[in-house]
Amino acid sequence: MSFKAVIFDFDGTICNTGEGIMKSAKYALDSFNLPCGEWEELSYFIGPPLLVTFQERFNQDVSRAIEIVKKFRERYSDKGILESCLYDGISDLIKSLKSDGFRLAIASSKPEEYIIQLLEKFSVAQYFDIVCGVSFTADCESKQSIIARALEGLGVSNDEAIIVGDKSYDIDGAKANSLKSIGVLWGFGTKFELIECGADFIAEKPGDIEAVVLDLYERTDNVQGIFSGRVLVMHEDDITLCNGMQAKRECVDHPGGVAVIGLTDDDEVLLVRQFRYPYKEVIYEIPAGKLEKGEDPFEAGKREFKEECGAVADEYFSLGELYPSPGYTNEIIRLYGARKLSFEEQNLDDDEFLQVRRMKLDELIERIMSGEIKDAKTVAAALKLRELTRSK
């Protein structure tokens, strides 16, 4: 497959608009004395045209449903539209796809005016080549027709575009236009719904979409457990490659870790020396530790810094994330810097033996560049810290 364009649904795919839609639906139904339960129970309003939902779910004729839609928009235009946010990772995905050279479009049953307003609010409007929604006077257009308009506006053929959506309406619209489709799991549909309606791919996170359209995606078909230990879980997965061939992947699941590089007022970095059993060596590294289940990485970093070095800081700052070995493990190490340090007592675990050392940042960089210091998190954190200190 060689895609040139990606057509997104909006509600439930790019933007979490659920709260505003459901609260506005509740407002409209209450205004006409139609029983509907609590607003959290009205997720079926997200996706299909409002006029259709008010008719089919509440047995209203067309003229009455039009009046209810007007009441819905009375609240939504003023309050509901503001009760929205982009899903995590969507902004980065959109920018990355555009950088990759893809043409981008939106095909949604939402009024086009609302879509554009929200895209501008979240500063992503400039990345879309075309936005296809409905008008306030003609809001019952089928998803098939909206997608066809987007496809025509993009100027690409059916086999050069792919649909991304969270509901069966999106997948059915893709099929009606002979397009491939990606069903996303962070919206308002379910995995069962997306599989049942025949989505070609299922995305668990936004990054999966880029992998699919770049023709690099590997689909998990089966997971076979091998070992489950105190920290690590190992499994062998059966996968389907982007060319349709079958393969296996051996993986190690890790809860993730944190590491802190502390810099004193004298430009010295706090390091620890300890024996690392897998390498059978004593090595230098910055203080670090693994995350407990559900633990906030920043709080874990402060804890490890104090426990290993007896250090606390008035100023902490993020140095990003590190994938230490993406070929076989999903471990993510969150890196932090620390300044304005003060010192208390160490609080090491019973099986933890280490020595705290101070080293000038310049010397640390020299020993990294010579190959003497090899620990990946220490290398990454030190080089990032050096760049930050140079830029200030």
Side-chain angles (χ1 to χ4, degrees):
M1 291 174 290
S2 181
F3 298 112
K4 294 182 179 179
V6 184
I7 302 175
F8 289 90
D9 172 49
F10 190 75
D11 294 332
T13 301
I14 286 179
C15 194
N16 185 353
T17 55
E19 181 179 346
I21 291 174
M22 291 186 287
K23 284 184 175 179
S24 298
K26 170 72 171 170
Y27 170 81
L29 292 166
D30 285 348
S31 298
F32 286 84
N33 296 314
L34 294 171
C36 60
E38 300 301 319
W39 68 266
E40 294 92 343
E41 302 170 21
L42 304 181
S43 60
Y44 50 80
F45 275 96
I46 302 165
L50 289 171
L51 194 63
V52 172
T53 304
F54 284 125
Q55 289 179 80
E56 293 182 351
R57 288 273 183 169
F58 295 90
N59 196 30
Q60 303 296 299
D61 60 34
V62 175
S63 61
R64 178 84 159 176
I66 289 173
E67 293 303 311
I68 303 174
V69 170
K70 289 179 181 178
K71 184 60 70 171
F72 171 95
R73 289 177 180 153
E74 180 181 292
R75 183 190 185 278
Y76 190 78
S77 299
D78 180 39
K79 296 180 180 178
I81 194 169
L82 302 177
E83 297 165 330
S84 305
C85 63
L86 293 184
Y87 287 102
D88 290 343
I90 285 295
S91 180
D92 289 340
L93 169 68
I94 291 168
K95 294 173 185 177
S96 186
L97 289 174
K98 203 63 183 174
S99 177
D100 291 331
F102 291 98
R103 293 178 63 78
L104 303 182
I106 288 175
S108 171
S109 297
K110 194 180 194 71
E112 195 168 297
E113 182 178 315
Y114 289 152
I115 299 171
I116 293 172
Q117 184 177 341
L118 286 169
L119 291 176
E120 291 175 347
K121 170 181 168 65
F122 298 119
S123 302
V124 292
Q126 68 271 28
Y127 299 106
F128 289 92
D129 299 280
I130 186 170
V131 174
C132 293
V134 299
S135 68
F136 290 123
T137 56
D139 60 354
C140 276
E141 185 180 3
S142 70
K143 199 60 180 278
Q144 175 184 349
S145 173
I146 300 170
I147 291 173
R149 284 198 287 118
L151 193 63
E152 181 180 2
L154 289 169
V156 296
S157 62
N158 302 62
D159 59 351
E160 293 175 328
I162 190 166
I163 299 295
V164 182
D166 69 313
K167 298 283 287 182
S168 59
Y169 309 103
D170 306 307
I171 310 306
D172 292 341
K175 285 184 174 181
N177 284 280
S178 301
L179 298 174
K180 294 288 187 181
S181 61
I182 304 173
V184 305
L185 297 183
W186 54 82
F188 301 104
T190 65
K191 187 173 185 178
F192 178 79
E193 174 186 350
L194 295 169
I195 292 173
E196 187 177 44
C197 66
D200 295 291
F201 302 92
I202 302 294
E204 296 183 359
K205 58 186 185 300
D208 293 343
I209 295 170
E210 186 174 24
V212 169
V213 300
L214 289 173
D215 210 13
L216 297 173
Y217 186 66
E218 298 180 353
R219 186 186 73 221
T220 303
D221 299 319
N222 182 57
V223 177
Q224 177 65 46
I226 297 175
F227 168 79
S228 181
R230 183 173 57 88
V231 177
L232 304 177
V233 174
M234 300 178 62
H235 50 96
E236 183 181 64
D237 297 357
D238 298 317
I239 68 164
T240 298
L241 300 172
C242 53
N243 64 358
M245 293 182 62
Q246 306 298 305
K248 292 183 180 293
R249 293 284 185 262
E250 294 178 354
C251 304
V252 176
D253 291 344
H254 189 285
V258 290
V260 179
I261 183 165
L263 188 65
T264 70
D265 293 340
D266 296 325
D267 283 334
E268 292 179 325
V269 173
L270 299 184
L271 300 171
V272 297
R273 294 187 75 191
Q274 57 186 320
F275 186 82
R276 287 302 193 180
Y277 185 81
Y279 295 102
K280 305 296 193 296
E281 290 182 20
V282 174
I283 67 172
Y284 280 104
E285 56 189 291
I286 57 176
K290 71 175 180 67
L291 287 172
E292 302 299 333
K293 186 175 182 180
E295 187 176 18
D296 176 74
F298 177 56
E299 295 300 323
K302 291 194 295 183
R303 183 197 69 232
E304 292 293 338
F305 195 44
K306 184 177 183 301
E307 287 180 356
E308 294 193 1
C309 295
V312 294
D314 290 339
E315 180 184 341
Y316 290 94
F317 50 94
S318 174
L319 290 172
E321 297 180 345
L322 177 68
Y323 291 1
S325 190
Y328 70 88
T329 180
N330 61 1
E331 181 182 8
I332 300 174
I333 300 175
R334 282 80 172 181
L335 302 175
Y336 297 95
R339 294 192 184 98
K340 301 178 181 178
L341 308 183
S342 58
F343 295 90
E344 302 174 2
E345 291 186 6
Q346 287 177 297
N347 185 23
L348 301 177
D349 294 334
D350 292 340
D351 62 348
E352 193 172 27
F353 302 92
L354 54 83
Q355 299 173 350
V356 180
R357 293 287 187 268
R358 298 189 183 197
M359 188 180 295
K360 289 287 188 180
L361 179 58
D362 287 344
E363 181 185 349
L364 175 58
I365 298 298
E366 289 175 4
R367 295 172 77 168
I368 286 172
M369 297 307 294
S370 72
E372 179 184 350
I373 293 179
K374 306 171 186 177
D375 175 62
K377 63 183 179 293
T378 304
V379 171
L383 293 176
K384 284 191 169 190
L385 182 62
R386 164 49 57 86
E387 285 301 307
L388 281 179
T389 56
R390 281 177 174 171
S391 64
K392 291 186 176 181

